[in-house]
Every structure is written in C-alpha cells, then in structure tokens.
Amino acid sequence: ATQVARADVPVLITGPNGAGKEVIAAIIQANSSVRDGPFVRVNIGALPSELLESELFGAEAGAYTGAKARAGRFEAANGGTLFLDEIGNLSMSGQAKLLRVLQTGEFERLGSTQTRRVTVRIVSATNASLAEAIRDGRFREDLYYRLNVIELNVPALAERREDILPLARHFLEPGYELQADAVRALQRHDWPGNVRELRNIIRRACLLAATR
C-alpha cells in the first residue's frame, strides 16, 4: 500500500467484509502526494440506488423531489482522495458517469448542464467478484480496467493467522493484557467477521473484564 501510494493511479482493494480494506485506503491516502487534501469516504452499498448519482456528483435545486442545490462527493474530494467502498453496487448509469470522470475529470451535477472539473484520486473497494459482475452484465468492463490499474487483495484474517495476536494487542485499551487462555482462544477461533470481529471482541472484553 505504501509503495503504490506514491503513484497517482487508481487502486482497487479486494477482500471480504471486515478485512481492513478501508484501513488500506487510508494508508494509501496518508502516503500519497495528496496526503494534505481531503479523504472522502463513500459506502456505495449503504446508499439507495436513486440517491447514488446525486451523492457522487451533486444535484441542482429541483433535480428531484425535495432536492436542494448541493455539491457531491467528487467536489468534496477535489485535490484529495475519494474512497468508493462496495463499488460493485454502483448503478450502470452511475458507472458511465464515473468512467467519464476517470477519463476527463469532468461531470455535471444531477439536473445541471454545467460541466465541472475536479482532480481526484480514486481508491475503490469490493468484497464481490467484479469479473463475475462483468459476465452477468452488471458491471462495465471498461470501468473495471480503469479502476483496477493496481489491485491490492486483503486476505481474510483466517488466512493470515500470524496477524491475530498483534492486532488483538493493538486493539487492547491501555493497562490491559492478554492472559494465556485468552491467547489460546483467539488463536483457535476461525474469525468469520475478520478484523472487525476481532476488534469488537477485544473492546467487549476490555469493558467486561473484572480487573486490568
């Protein structure tokens, strides 16, 4: 991540939910040439499909019912990095607009004919197979190759068990230690929720521990 951060190219981060893809995106931003610029996160999977385009590109007053004029995430990220999580959920029309921004740096707000220009580095992430989405006609192949100049795969925590204890100790609150039985339990567990599950378990253990 630190090596590719220096190259001003789009990065696609792949891996299961909870594996730490957003952390990798933040590392890329912190080590990039636009480290002093904004770092804007968008969870595309959490946004209703009808609001995706206005969230990304902004909207003019009256563009849809109740719409007020506002900037989108691309304008907010100008001069920095835009992290698009769950990129596979972007609509086909949104994909076409995203492709244009990647090619030209230009876009229009929803309901506007005024062309705007931004300079934004794109880091995207997905837990889905974009190759399968391309075969099913749900994702544009040309956009995939624009986003996937460099791919970083974050394996599931169960596939990198040497990370379990260092991460667990990192998540411990000051003054707490892992006892031997806790270490054994952590090493035996399969971690279906990956790093997010580990973090939550350690936080919960610190809250419920009788003594430090």
Side-chain angles (χ1 to χ4, degrees), residues 54-204:
S54 63
E55 283 292 325
L56 290 178
F57 307 111
E60 295 297 334
Y64 54 89
T65 303
K68 298 180 180 179
R70 62 184 183 87
R73 305 297 178 91
F74 267 94
E75 289 178 74
N78 192 25
T81 299
L82 180 61
F83 175 51
L84 301 175
D85 200 6
E86 298 191 36
I87 187 66
N89 290 341
L90 187 61
S91 67
M92 294 301 289
S93 60
Q95 291 177 37
K97 288 189 175 183
L98 178 57
L99 180 64
R100 181 190 173 196
V101 178
L102 292 176
Q103 290 173 330
T104 66
E106 297 178 346
F107 67 95
E108 289 84 32
R109 288 181 179 178
L110 198 64
S112 173
T113 58
Q114 179 185 351
T115 299
R116 300 171 186 270
R117 173 175 287 275
V118 291
T119 302
V120 174
R121 182 180 189 170
I122 299 293
V123 177
S124 53
T126 181
N127 63 353
S129 170
L130 293 185
E132 182 178 324
I134 291 170
R135 288 195 299 270
D136 294 343
R138 294 180 286 108
F139 203 85
R140 295 179 60 121
E141 187 172 20
D142 49 1
L143 176 59
Y144 172 74
Y145 287 113
R146 282 280 182 175
L147 293 172
N148 191 18
V149 176
I150 295 176
E151 180 176 345
L152 297 178
N153 179 257
V154 185
L157 186 57
E159 298 175 24
R160 45 188 173 109
R161 306 195 71 85
E162 69 278 5
D163 287 346
I164 293 172
L165 291 182
L167 284 168
R169 293 188 174 104
H170 171 72
F171 293 137
L172 278 173
E173 294 181 8
Y176 287 93
E177 295 181 0
L178 293 174
Q179 299 299 318
D181 57 343
V183 168
R184 288 191 293 270
L186 292 171
Q187 291 175 326
R188 286 196 302 264
H189 190 55
D190 289 334
W191 302 108
N194 294 299
V195 178
R196 184 179 297 139
E197 180 187 6
L198 174 60
R199 180 192 61 193
N200 291 344
I201 282 178
I202 296 298
R203 286 180 174 176
R204 185 162 60 247

